[in-house]
Amino acid sequence: MSTPFPFTAVVGQDDLRLALLLNAVSPAVGGVLVRGEKGTAKSTAVRALSALMPEVDVVPGCRFSCDPHSPDPGCPDGPHEPGAGVARPARMVELPVGASEDRLVGALDIERALAEGVKAFEPGLLADAHRGILYVDEVNLLHDHLVDLLLDAAAMGASYVEREGVSVRHASRFLLVGTMNPEEGELRPQLLDRFGLTVEVSASREPDQRVEVVRRRLAHDDDPAGFAARWADEEAAVRARITAARELLPSVRLGDGALRQIAATCAAFEVDGMRADIVMARTATALAAWAGRTDVLAEDVRQAALLALPHRRRRNPFDAPGLDEDKLDETLEEFGGQDGDGGGDDDPDPGPGGPGGPGGQPEPDDAPRGDGDAAARPEAGEGGEPRPSGAGEQSPVRAAEPFRTKVLSVPGLGEGAAGRRSRARTEHGRTTGARRPRGALTKLHLAATVQAAAPHQRARGRSGRGLVVRRDDLRQATREGREGNLVLFVVDASGSMAARQRMGAVKGAVLSLLLDAYQRRDKVGLVTFRGAAADVALPPTSSVDAAAARLESLPTGGRTPLAAGLLRAHEVLRVERLRDPARRALVVVVTDGRATGGPEPVALAGRAARLFAAEGVASVVVDCESGPVRLGLAGRLADELGGTAVTLDELRADAIAGLVRDVQGTRRAA
């Protein structure tokens, strides 16, 4: 068994370590969501925490880790009589991104349940994690239905498995920790709210600290056991402190003054619902216990707000989480009561490992900006080449206010990743039929199974009430739901689009479609063309935030290499099809339809467009032509693509529906 990196040896990341320790003291805080760039010790710190958790007493032989002093009366392995138990270390269970629903919640032996009426249940990861830690790396990449199951279990403290009238319930209380890289996509706001605390982590820019990180990492890799032994005393001290804080926690007093500050802070930052108030109260109480106090002070409330509110405050769709600390201090001072001075300037506790330990250091001032700053800078062309200057490049224009768009969908029935855009065969959705299972049975179609088994009952010698079911009789339910698509934007940034008011409206329309893609769990990509070439401004990604930032910084000017833009988009789709063949694409071309530059630009653009039509790629052309005289070039481009054209005004109108028609149907009509 490998030796984990010691928790107290992690350099910096004070907020991360503090949030994890507070949850170890009080699991009722609700877990931690860790947001940050790759290579910032997110996973290292979480895995190291498990070694600090106090041991738990369990009922011998119970697969669900029941507490021997108060066993779960509904335990599938029960009933258990209260008595002495066996001590074992608290588990840390990792949930893989590609896990199935059965692996998470457990599985029933459907064949035995039908034939014998026996609840033969195989526990899943939620049972393994009971009274321990459940760690989800890249939680933003989990399928939505798995996240829903996970967070429901975390909220209710129990897991329920319902399969065709057979029901199993078991206790499932755990410390939930999720990590994610915002560049790979965000969690839905309602799911963000289910995590008690959130922290932003980033790599230090201090050379001395970076040197220490490398030194400790290399020392651990060279001799893991020896390195862990050098930190054993610090680890033991933190473990003892967690135990002491847990024992002190019931004695901590949360006075009316602190409660008023909590309520005022949540109201000032306009958080929805009351979960934020409750989480702040529990966090402030845990902070006091961690500091060895029985009274909650103003600095506890301040630190609790910094950990519990950034992901809950109301914000625009593409804004990164963050908190205005000046506003926080003003609110605390205004509503300061007898339980604290309202200042909150002092560090409540230096934490383990000296002044650099997790003692409540405020978030860095640049945390809310994340990686958007780099994305917001005007860039050179792909590969570092300078952008063609063309005929008078203009500086970037701000996008107009986004609006709600109608649904654009890909025709037909796909089999891509779960989402909310186009029809697809999925594991979750309405049942549309049955088939023989390929591999393990996941969703039983009961009626079809009974129908397959019924004709053979006499031959199988049925004599009792139970149905004699063989594996060949089992039928898998086929279901239809929704999938996420790759929405590839091909945006004309040439001089013909450069009128400032017009380009602002174009960017506003694309931003609206990006917001729709975020809500429907799509991947997005951005190709722009201007001057003499086309650039992949953003390769296909799940981070809609990054696409919005690139769009905001998009300059305009020069000629209109429409063919180059279409050919570059075609190449992007070809590469992405190799990476993810099940994900279908929707190409959204934003242009006025003009093509200039080079020999026969119009004919070349037509040939490029017909490549998409030949492959059946669903497409929409957003016609940006304006003025009293219109050439209708965007409509002709849509015909060449085998897609549909829609104007900017129509994009926001209620009357449009089904903008993407079946490509073959469109071609037949033509």
Side-chain angles (χ1 to χ4, degrees), residues 395-617:
S395 59
V397 219
R398 292 193 65 84
E401 200 65 28
F403 53 86
R404 186 175 182 84
T405 66
K406 288 293 184 179
V407 180
L408 310 180
S409 60
V410 178
L413 197 63
E415 295 182 345
R420 295 184 181 83
R421 184 171 296 278
S422 305
R423 294 173 55 219
R425 298 182 186 90
T426 62
E427 288 293 320
H428 298 269
R430 62 186 182 89
T431 301
T432 58
R435 60 171 174 80
R436 291 182 181 273
R438 305 186 190 105
L441 178 72
T442 55
K443 298 291 182 182
L444 178 76
H445 194 296
L446 182 59
T449 298
V450 171
Q451 187 176 8
H456 308 291
Q457 296 306 295
R458 180 174 296 179
R460 292 174 183 174
R462 174 184 170 185
S463 58
R465 298 176 58 186
L467 192 68
V468 181
V469 179
R470 303 282 170 80
R471 181 161 296 278
D472 289 344
D473 302 328
L474 300 179
R475 294 295 182 269
Q476 173 86 23
T478 57
R479 301 191 175 193
E480 182 178 312
R482 293 281 169 177
E483 67 176 0
N485 299 117
L486 166 61
V487 182
L488 182 62
F489 294 92
V490 186
V491 180
D492 184 348
S494 64
S496 65
M497 302 279 289
R500 301 187 72 82
Q501 188 173 6
R502 183 181 176 193
M503 196 61 195
V506 169
K507 285 188 175 183
V510 178
L511 194 63
S512 303
L513 293 168
L514 280 172
L515 177 58
D516 182 68
Y518 164 74
Q519 294 168 339
R520 299 186 186 283
R521 311 294 284 175
D522 294 315
K523 291 181 71 173
V524 296
L526 179 62
V527 173
T528 65
F529 56 95
R530 53 185 287 274
D535 293 329
V536 180
L538 185 72
T541 175
S542 296
S543 177
V544 178
D545 291 1
R550 299 293 171 91
L551 176 71
E552 194 71 23
S553 63
L554 180 65
T556 57
R559 296 191 174 188
T560 312
L562 177 57
L566 294 175
L567 291 173
R568 180 58 63 91
H570 186 268
E571 176 63 15
V572 169
L573 292 185
R574 186 190 68 81
V575 173
E576 191 64 19
R577 201 175 291 126
L578 295 175
R579 293 174 178 166
D580 189 357
R583 188 181 292 269
R584 298 185 296 163
L586 170 64
V587 177
V588 180
V589 185
V590 185
T591 181
D592 56 10
R594 289 180 172 85
T596 60
E600 300 183 343
V602 176
L604 186 59
R607 288 198 294 272
R610 287 192 288 275
L611 291 175
F612 292 86
E615 296 176 1
V617 178

Side-chain angles (χ1 to χ4, degrees), residues 272 288 306 316 344 426 535 604 608 619:
D272 295 325
L306 291 173
N316 292 327
T426 62
D535 293 329
L604 186 59
S619 60

